[in-house]
Every structure is written in C-alpha cells, then in structure tokens.
Amino acid sequence: MNSMSLSANNTNLSTINSTGLSAMNRLHTHMVVLTVTADFNHANLNMGDTAAERNEAETYPYRDRNKCSPEEEARLERQHFWKIIDAFRFYRTHVQERVNRTERQFRSLPQRHQRLLSGFLPNLSKIRQCVDQNHEVLQAIVRNCIHMFENMEYGEDDNARKVGPSSTFDMDKLKSTIKQFVRDWSEAGKVERDTCYKPLMEEIQRQFPPEQCDVSKISILVPGAGLGRLAWEIANLGYSCQGNEWSFFMLFSSNFVLNRCDKENALTLYPWVHQFSNNKMSADQTRPVFFPDINPQSLPPNSDFSMTAGDFLEVYTDPNIWDCVTTCFFIDTAHNVLDYIETIWNILKPGGVWINLGPLLYHFENMASELSIELSYEEIKGAILKYGFQLEVERESVLTTYTENDRSMLRYLYDCVFFVARKHTQQPTNGTLSPKDGVSDESAPKEDVAAT
Ligand SMILES: C[S@@+](CC[C@H](N)C(=O)[O-])C[C@H]1O[C@@H](n2cnc3c(N)ncnc32)[C@H](O)[C@@H]1O
C-alpha cells in the first residue's frame, strides 16, 4: 500500500475526533477510518454529467488521462466533492418535481376517469411524505461529512452557496445508493446478502480456517466495497479487513452507517418510492425499509476494520501485501478488467488468493467517450491463467440479485461466476508483473471443486 496505511490512520485518529464527529470516538476500537489514499479519478467521477460532455472526447484516453498539476487535481476533487453534496441536497426537489408531474397528469384526465381512482392522490401524498423522510436521512448523511476524511479537507460549508439542479445521472446514483442500504444494512437484504456475501465468507474461512491460523493476522482487501457490509462481516469474523471505495455517494453513506448509526433499525428509508412502474399494490411503492439491521459498532474488541477512499488501481500499488483480495460485483466496473487482474496479482502475497463473485455488466459499455473493454468470462479466465494464477475453485452459475425490489413485477437475476484464483508461491523478481507469456490455459493446474 502507499503512504496512507492503517498505522497512519491510527496516528491521525485524534485529528478526526477533533473535528466533532462524536461517534468517531469509537474508531479507537474499530478503526473505521476513511482515508483518501490516492487521487480520485475525476474523469471517472464526473462521467456522464451531460450528454454533450460525454460526447466531447474523440479519443479514449487511458489511465493517465487528464493528469494535471496537484493544485488542479485538488481543485477538481473539491469541486466533485461539493457536486455530490449538492446532489444529496437537491434530492427532494428532484423527486418532488417528478411527483408533481404525475399529479398534473392525473388532474388532466377526464373527471370520470379521476373518479375511478379515488386512492390516487392520497397515494401521491404518501409518496411525498416518503420522499421527505428519505431527504431527512440524506441530509443526515452529508451533515458533517466535510471532515470525514482524515487527510483531506474540502473547505467549509457555505450556506450562501446555491444548490443548483443536479444531473439525472447523479440523481440516479443517489437513488441507487438508497437501494444499496437495503442490500447491505437491512433485514430485507438478508436473502441477497446470503447469496452474494455468504459464499465469499465461507471460502475465506475455508482458505484461512480460524482453528488453524490467527485470523487477525490475515489481511483481506475488498475493493469496490459499496456500503461496506461485506468488509464489515469479514472483520466481524476476526480477519483484518479493509474496504476500498471510490464513489462519494457510497463513501458518505458508508461513513454514516458505520460511524454514526448504533441503534438497530432506528432509521427508515423508502427505497422503492421512485419506482412508478411494475407495482402490484400501490402500497408497495411506499413500503419502508429499516436500517441498520445490526449495530455496525458491535465488532469484537480489537477488530481491524478500515475503509479507504480512492481508485483501487491508484491506491493499491505496493506489491505482495495482501493474503486475500475479495471482489463482489466489482470486476465489471473496470474500463479494462485486465488492469484489475494485474493489480490484484501484484498486491497479493505469493500464495495469496483472489476470491470473486459477480456478473460482467460492464459499467462503461454505453458511455461513448469512455474506454470500455468488454471481455467474456472465457477471455477473463484465460488472462487470469496467463498471469500465473491457479484457478482452484470455479462455479459458473451462481444465481443472485442486486438491490432487488422483491415485490416488483420486473426483477433481474444475475447468473454470476464464482472463482478462487491463487497467486503462485514463487517470489516475483521485481514487484510488477506481466502476464506469463507462453503459459497456456490448459497448462495451469486446476482443481474444480465446484461440484463439491
Ligand atoms: C456494483 S457495486 C458493488 C458494491 C459491493 N461490492 C456490493 O456487492 O454490494 C461496485 C462498486 O465498486 C465501486 N468502484 C468502481 N470502480 C472503482 C474503483 N476503481 N475503485 C474503487 N471502487 C470502485 C463503485 O463505486 C461501486 O460502489
């Protein structure tokens, strides 16, 4: 890892406490620390602001794109930070406008049609109340978050600053973030967590059995950690676990739930309130979800759990550090998934394992100006083997959902791959590795325990 390591987090805890995030006092025990460990990639974070912006680039700038001076980097990052805060603040206006439109359209119907739907306007009132409640939680999330990163200041909140309309893209991200609370921190998300996180956690325990090793010495990284539940669960099992996340939407929210929520099911969100289609019952749209289903501050004493902020590819460059990298619904977030494979290979200790579960819904596929290399699983597997990984476990069909509305008339099912790939134990010569030319897929040993 680079300079901002866990020990740096510890040293700086007093800085965090002095900023007034009182719940962060517990950080001494749990080390739920958010650290900006490398540049946010503004090109990525700002993607999709407007169609015009998206179409501007004619080339496909790669990883070094848009590199500018450190001052300019810092300015852009601050700008992006405030843009996301503004999105949280604009939420209510945005959704209420949507509800107003529905009301206007209803009122434009002939009276005889309106009379058939006596529950329609009362339901809209209920929807408005749900949006207000969501808004309250969103404001609580961004309250005080200007000081949440121990090593980065974003300036003081200026009430005079005008909150302009946010892009549809950012509003969609915010609505997805609300749904992510269901997946990670509600009782309603348990079934989904059991299908996605449980296989990963069981595999971790199989690889590093608590009865055979000191699990507190096993270092596990979860890139693309979302709201942090998987990383938290791994730490709860006693392993030393770090989540890494890149989106401010997720980071603000995970900071809130991990550091500032300590009463089970004390908070309410209405995650499905934005869904106007595919509802069987009107009340399905306005049903509440409570969180957190478990007190995030209940990790055992001396747990080693942290979160870092930044682009996985930029944060994790030090070789041979991690015993295990666990990825869940992550590898398809890459512009070029080979970059992820290369980084995972590099940062794993010799003999370390990469455990993966997820689909291949490439995030940049439909963004015209963004590089997006969409490989099949077959191609990814070939590359993994060429890097020198040994594929020890492979299940090609694990059915899961992702932030599913289980009462919707439209539901998506992901047919995920699950695999365990081990980095061979031979010490690399220079830290950075390239694919082992000439190693054919067939030559790599593989014990397929999928059926067991
Ligand atoms: C589909 S979500 C999965 C979240 C979580 N693993 C889960 O299963 O619920 C992918 C996550 O990866 C994050 N992400 C995407 N690219 C990233 C990068 N380069 N570095 C760190 N996080 C990234 C996204 O912000 C998002 O939260």
Side-chain angles (χ1 to χ4, degrees):
M1 285 180 58
N2 69 10
S3 56
M4 290 298 166
S5 63
L6 282 173
S7 56
N9 292 344
N10 282 328
T11 336
N12 288 336
L13 282 177
S14 57
T15 317
I16 293 173
N17 288 336
S18 72
T19 62
L21 295 182
S22 56
M24 287 244 188
N25 289 327
R26 295 183 184 82
L27 287 172
H28 286 290
T29 318
H30 300 312
M31 293 194 284
V32 182
V33 180
L34 286 158
T35 313
V36 181
T37 42
D39 296 342
F40 281 83
N41 189 326
H42 315 290
N44 292 347
L45 289 167
N46 288 326
M47 71 199 172
D49 280 349
T50 64
E53 276 170 23
R54 282 201 300 275
N55 292 331
E56 256 170 27
E58 290 174 11
T59 54
Y60 301 91
Y62 199 38
R63 278 179 61 188
D64 286 337
R65 64 186 172 286
N66 294 0
K67 281 283 173 216
C68 42
S69 67
E71 296 75 32
E72 181 62 0
E73 284 281 332
R75 190 191 67 77
L76 286 170
E77 184 171 323
R78 268 197 304 278
Q79 190 181 59
H80 181 70
F81 177 92
W82 286 109
K83 185 166 85 79
I84 306 306
I85 300 261
D86 286 352
F88 276 75
R89 292 181 175 161
F90 187 64
Y91 166 83
R92 177 162 48 194
T93 308
H94 169 82
V95 187
Q96 297 295 22
E97 180 45 44
R98 169 71 180 81
V99 183
N100 292 345
R101 193 179 85 212
T102 301
E103 181 172 347
R104 282 196 303 276
Q105 293 183 340
F106 176 79
R107 290 192 187 281
S108 76
L109 295 181
Q111 282 296 324
R112 67 180 189 286
H113 286 176
Q114 288 190 37
R115 277 196 298 274
L116 291 173
L117 300 167
S118 57
F120 195 90
L121 289 175
N123 193 50
L124 282 191
S125 295
K126 175 82 178 116
I127 288 172
R128 285 199 176 91
Q129 287 165 15
C130 298
V131 172
D132 285 345
Q133 169 60 25
N134 282 352
H135 182 76
E136 291 306 315
V137 173
L138 294 176
Q139 299 328 292
I141 290 173
V142 290
R143 204 167 294 138
N144 290 328
C145 74
I146 50 175
H147 302 299
M148 67 185 261
F149 300 106
E150 66 176 22
N151 59 339
M152 189 75 191
E153 284 295 327
Y154 290 96
E156 288 307 311
D157 201 357
D158 176 3
N159 284 335
R161 207 171 39 84
K162 204 163 157 272
V163 178
S166 297
S167 64
T168 309
F169 181 85
D170 281 344
M171 286 298 109
D172 287 347
K173 285 244 165 200
L174 194 52
K175 292 172 198 168
S176 302
T177 306
I178 292 173
K179 289 195 260 178
Q180 196 78 24
F181 275 92
V182 185
R183 173 174 173 89
D184 266 20
W185 293 104
S186 80
E187 185 57 36
K190 185 176 183 317
V191 174
E192 192 167 292
R193 288 195 300 278
D194 283 351
T195 55
C196 294
Y197 299 165
K198 227 184 188 171
L200 295 165
M201 286 159 51
E202 284 172 357
E203 187 60 31
I204 287 169
Q205 290 185 292
R206 202 176 71 87
Q207 294 286 340
F208 309 100
E211 52 293 348
Q212 285 171 30
C213 63
D214 178 355
V215 294
S216 69
K217 302 237 157 36
I218 304 295
S219 57
I220 301 182
L221 176 66
V222 181
L227 293 194
R229 181 64 177 262
L230 173 61
W232 186 94
E233 289 288 355
I234 295 170
N236 200 31
L237 292 173
Y239 298 91
S240 166
C241 190
Q242 183 163 97
N244 159 246
E245 178 51 61
W246 168 84
S247 148
F248 278 134
F249 288 104
M250 295 289 177
L251 289 164
F252 295 159
S253 303
S254 62
N255 176 54
F256 177 72
V257 73
L258 290 167
N259 289 320
R260 285 155 60 197
C261 297
D262 58 5
K263 283 200 189 57
E264 283 175 24
N265 295 319
L267 291 162
T268 308
L269 279 169
Y270 295 90
W272 320 117
V273 74
H274 320 107
Q275 180 177 323
F276 286 82
S277 294
N278 287 312
N279 291 308
K280 278 196 180 146
M281 312 276 289
S282 304
D284 288 346
Q285 189 175 358
T286 52
R287 70 193 195 279
V289 165
F290 307 102
F291 77 96
D293 63 308
I294 188 167
N295 176 4
Q297 317 254 334
S298 64
L299 285 176
N302 304 321
S303 296
D304 187 3
F305 173 45
S306 60
M307 292 279 285
T308 61
D311 182 342
F312 167 62
L313 293 177
E314 301 201 16
V315 175
Y316 298 94
T317 51
D318 289 353
N320 309 325
I321 299 286
W322 299 91
D323 293 297
C324 176
V325 175
T326 301
T327 48
C328 185
F329 277 71
F330 176 66
I331 63 173
D332 52 4
T333 65
H335 289 273
N336 169 13
V337 62
L338 299 180
D339 283 334
Y340 280 6
I341 298 172
E342 196 165 273
T343 295
I344 292 169
W345 171 271
N346 191 42
I347 65 176
L348 275 175
K349 292 176 185 170
V353 286
W354 171 22
I355 308 174
N356 174 70
L357 176 92
L360 293 173
L361 178 61
Y362 288 104
H363 284 213
F364 293 100
E365 180 186 347
N366 296 316
M367 297 188 195
S369 62
E370 294 286 341
L371 177 81
S372 178
I373 307 294
E374 297 101 14
L375 303 185
S376 65
Y377 175 58
E378 178 188 29
E379 288 167 320
I380 290 177
K381 181 172 157 183
I384 288 171
L385 296 174
K386 285 186 174 138
Y387 266 92
F389 281 107
Q390 292 179 0
L391 211 49
E392 293 192 349
V393 180
E394 185 183 34
R395 289 173 217 150
E396 287 197 17
S397 184
V398 179
L399 301 180
T400 75
T401 55
Y402 191 88
T403 61
E404 182 188 54
N405 176 356
D406 63 2
R407 293 209 205 144
S408 174
M409 296 164 77
L410 175 65
R411 290 155 75 174
Y412 292 98
L413 195 62
Y414 290 92
D415 194 351
C416 294
V417 292
F418 173 92
F419 62 76
V420 180
R422 187 179 301 280
K423 177 174 172 176
H424 64 65
T425 48
Q426 210 184 330
Q427 271 290 348
T429 48
N430 64 358
T432 43
L433 290 159
S434 51
K436 292 167 69 206
D437 288 333
V439 178
S440 74
D441 297 1
E442 291 72 30
S443 68
K446 178 190 142 198
E447 171 209 347
D448 189 343
V449 296
T452 62

